[in-house]
Every structure is written in structure tokens, then in C-alpha cells.
Amino acid sequence: MRYWGMRYGSSQGYAIKYFSCKKLYYEKRKINKIKQLRIRHLGEKVANSESGKVVQAKSFAFAMRVVELKQYLNQEKKEFTLSGQLQRSGTSIGANVREAYRGESDPDFVHKLGVSLKECNESQYWLELLFTTGLNPLKAVG
């Protein structure tokens, strides 16, 4: 088997392979450092501003409205499955936001906010499903 015109067993082949691997290693380090700087910048931008308190307050208010909606759907409409799913996803948004602001590192902060975004999408799905099935949740919290 040949490696750039040389046999694997030759010392020159190992030298070429070593230096190309070393170059690749430093390129990966450079890319990772850029990613870390971007994450750190994003974390400082969001965590050090007043928007962090606004996000926490709004996610908590949303969770409270979701709990009220679940109570309405259970008592008035006798619907348990969709309301339970909505409550799980809707209340976990605020929990993940709070956990993100107490994160151990910048990547942890970004990851937890990403999880919150996923939970927002899931909550939106359950709300759309409630509307399309005819269970109008606007009467409960309107």
C-alpha cells in the first residue's frame, strides 16, 4: 500500500503523515476556539442584559397559564391526554430557562436555551392540535 508515493514502512511516510495530522489538529483547535468565543459572546450578551429577567418572567407567566388551561380542559371538557402533554412541555420551558441562567458553562447555557426552544415548539404543536380538534382553549384563559 502506498501513501503519497511512499511505502507505509518508510520513515518519510510517517513524517508526512505526522505533520498532516498535526496540521489538522491545529485547524480543529482553531475552529473550536472560534466556536467557544461565539458561545461566550452570546452567553454574555443574553445573560448580562435585562432580557434575561424578561425571558424568565414571560416563561413563568406562560407556565401559569398552561396550568390554568389544563385545569379548564380537565374539568369542563374532560380532556386529559392533550392537556397533560401541553402541561409537561409548557411548564418545562420556564424550568429550562431558569436552569440555563444558572448553567455551569457557556455551552451549557446555550444548550439549555436550545432545549427550551424545543419545548416551545412542542407546546405550539399541542396548542395547534387543541385548536384543530375543536377544543377551544381561548375560552379558558381568554
Side-chain angles (χ1 to χ4, degrees), residues 3-139:
Y3 183 75
W4 288 345
M6 294 178 221
R7 289 189 347 208
Y8 260 123
S10 71
S11 61
Q12 292 174 341
Y14 282 126
I16 291 172
K17 186 176 179 183
Y18 170 76
F19 286 118
S20 63
C21 289
K22 193 171 182 179
K23 183 179 178 184
L24 208 101
Y25 168 76
Y26 283 116
E27 288 296 320
K28 285 183 181 180
R29 269 185 63 185
K30 189 189 304 183
I31 291 170
N32 285 338
K33 191 168 188 170
I34 291 171
K35 285 181 184 178
Q36 288 174 354
L37 288 174
R38 286 182 184 165
I39 289 171
R40 186 176 302 135
H41 176 69
L42 175 68
E44 289 172 359
K45 184 178 177 183
V46 175
N48 293 336
S49 66
E50 289 295 316
S51 65
K53 293 178 185 174
V54 172
V55 170
Q56 289 181 12
K58 286 187 175 187
S59 62
F60 186 76
F62 179 73
M64 288 181 54
R65 291 185 68 167
V66 164
V67 170
E68 291 173 9
L69 176 61
K70 182 185 187 298
Q71 290 173 350
Y72 167 78
L73 289 171
N74 286 349
Q75 293 170 359
E76 302 294 325
K77 302 284 186 170
K78 303 298 183 209
E79 200 295 309
F80 301 100
T81 307
L82 295 178
S83 62
Q85 291 286 346
L86 178 62
Q87 184 182 19
R88 278 189 281 283
S89 63
T91 55
S92 70
I93 296 169
N96 284 319
V97 167
R98 288 260 176 117
E99 193 173 341
Y101 282 96
R102 300 288 182 239
E104 297 173 0
S105 63
D106 294 333
D108 187 34
F109 173 79
V110 172
H111 173 71
K112 292 296 181 187
L113 285 184
V115 171
S116 293
L117 182 61
K118 288 179 183 179
E119 295 295 333
C120 286
N121 283 334
E122 185 180 345
S123 298
Q124 182 180 3
Y125 171 78
W126 294 119
L127 286 169
E128 288 172 3
L129 194 58
L130 282 171
F131 276 109
T132 57
T133 56
L135 300 166
N136 191 356
L138 289 179
K139 295 176 184 173

